[in-house]
Amino acid sequence: MIFYLVIVLGIAAMFGRRWWMRRQARTELLGSRLDPHDRAIMLAQVPLLRKLPPELHAPLEGKMNLFLDQVELVGCNGLEVTQDMALSIAAQACLLVVNTDAWYRNLTTVLIYPGAFKSKKTTRDGFVVTEADIVRTGESWTRGPVILSWAHSQEGAQDQTDGHNVVLHEFAHQMDDMSGHTDGAPVMAKGQSLGTWERVFVDAHTRHVQAIEQGRATVLDAYGATNHQEYFAVAVEVFFEKPRPLRAQEPEVYAQLSTLLRLDPAEWK
């Protein structure tokens, strides 16, 4: 009996030590900073970050280091992943969670193609299942991976005011999935009401669909009319790249995203 107890205690101690070491490594990564060379690359690749308030610089860089330690960036179709690519993608992914406790705990892989790639789309009509090849610039799967076109990722990051950013879009889906469902309702911030979120986003999505059907211009891309989860991801793109127009056109949507992410990019200088 004592022998088995010693074994159990030994195993518990081993797992306890591993847990402590992982926690310690995570804490050290979150407290680390980029070196000046990598910081310059990050700012060149993602000009939007030049507007980031100074108090968020250190948290962003620490989370980037944690992201790059956790997530493997894999080049596809002969693409070689460079430091520029890694820093650009990590910076944009971590911008979404820079001021919150949310984290991509289940994500271990990002696949990067040189350009747009083909993906299988399966549709069902009763007993009839149809598959078709769809050309995409990005894709997000439950529990990963995230799949990106580097050409479109780089273009989206360089133009910080057009409201189109494939990296922000796909990682918004990853945030959405943290709730266990990709449905346009991510895990709410402390004190944030899910009921209010649903009312605001369902109403805004309905207005957006009507505007697109009537051919009226909106601050959000027409793709947001697809469903509620795509509306959320498109809204996140615009929240960072066109914050003041979004706040003017959809003030409640802006306010909910600002509460969720604990950010206010409309006031960034």
Side-chain angles (χ1 to χ4, degrees):
M1 182 67 180
I2 295 177
F3 174 75
Y4 289 112
L5 181 60
V6 170
I7 291 177
V8 170
L9 291 174
I11 293 173
M14 179 181 67
F15 280 105
R17 178 173 173 76
R18 287 182 179 178
W19 174 86
W20 182 86
M21 291 177 67
R22 286 196 297 267
R23 182 181 178 88
Q24 186 69 16
R26 175 185 172 87
T27 300
E28 290 176 1
L29 285 166
L30 287 172
S32 64
R33 299 293 300 269
L34 299 177
D35 64 44
H37 177 69
D38 285 348
R39 185 176 299 120
I41 291 175
M42 174 191 71
L43 294 174
Q45 287 292 324
V46 191
L48 173 64
L49 297 177
R50 297 170 188 166
K51 301 177 183 178
L52 194 68
E55 65 270 17
L56 295 178
H57 292 181
L60 177 69
E61 293 183 14
K63 290 189 175 184
M64 286 175 62
N65 285 326
L66 178 61
F67 183 93
L68 292 171
D69 181 73
Q70 171 184 316
V71 179
E72 182 182 11
L73 306 179
V74 180
C76 303
N77 286 1
L79 180 71
E80 180 180 349
V81 178
T82 65
Q83 187 73 342
D84 290 22
M85 297 177 190
L87 290 168
S88 173
I89 292 168
Q92 293 172 83
C94 293
L95 177 60
L96 295 181
V97 297
V98 66
N99 206 28
T100 75
D101 293 328
W103 188 247
Y104 310 108
R105 297 186 183 279
N106 297 317
L107 183 65
T108 59
T109 308
V110 173
L111 304 177
I112 311 171
Y113 285 82
F117 53 91
K118 288 184 178 181
S119 175
K120 290 286 186 184
K121 181 179 181 180
T122 303
T123 56
R124 296 178 182 274
D125 184 5
F127 293 103
V128 178
V129 179
T130 305
E131 285 192 348
D133 285 333
I134 305 295
V135 177
R136 299 185 184 275
T137 60
E139 212 169 48
S140 174
W141 290 74
T142 297
R143 294 181 170 269
V146 169
I147 311 173
L148 298 168
S149 155
W150 171 244
H152 294 85
S153 298
Q154 187 175 40
E155 180 182 356
Q158 287 292 315
D159 191 341
Q160 58 180 306
T161 61
D162 66 348
H164 298 287
N165 185 304
V166 67
V167 180
L168 294 180
H169 184 103
E170 301 307 334
F171 277 92
H173 284 315
Q174 286 289 304
M175 280 198 71
D176 191 1
D177 186 56
M178 291 176 192
S179 66
H181 305 279
T182 308
D183 55 6
V187 177
M188 297 291 102
K190 185 177 181 180
Q192 191 171 19
S193 166
L194 178 58
T196 302
W197 175 280
E198 289 180 341
R199 175 187 61 77
V200 168
F201 273 81
V202 168
D203 290 351
H205 177 258
T206 300
R207 287 193 298 274
H208 185 59
V209 171
Q210 291 172 347
I212 298 305
E213 290 175 346
Q214 295 167 10
R216 291 187 281 114
T218 67
V219 67
L220 273 74
D221 187 88
Y223 190 59
T226 306
N227 51 44
H228 293 112
Q229 54 263 42
E230 294 300 345
Y231 184 87
F232 167 67
V234 169
V236 168
E237 294 178 74
V238 177
F239 176 76
F240 284 104
E241 295 205 343
K242 291 185 174 181
R244 291 176 182 173
L246 177 64
R247 186 173 64 178
Q249 191 173 112
E250 291 289 353
E252 287 191 294
V253 169
Y254 182 90
Q256 287 296 316
L257 289 172
S258 183
T259 300
L260 177 75
L261 304 177
R262 295 180 59 192
L263 298 172
D264 192 5
E267 297 302 319
W268 293 355
K269 306 300 183 184

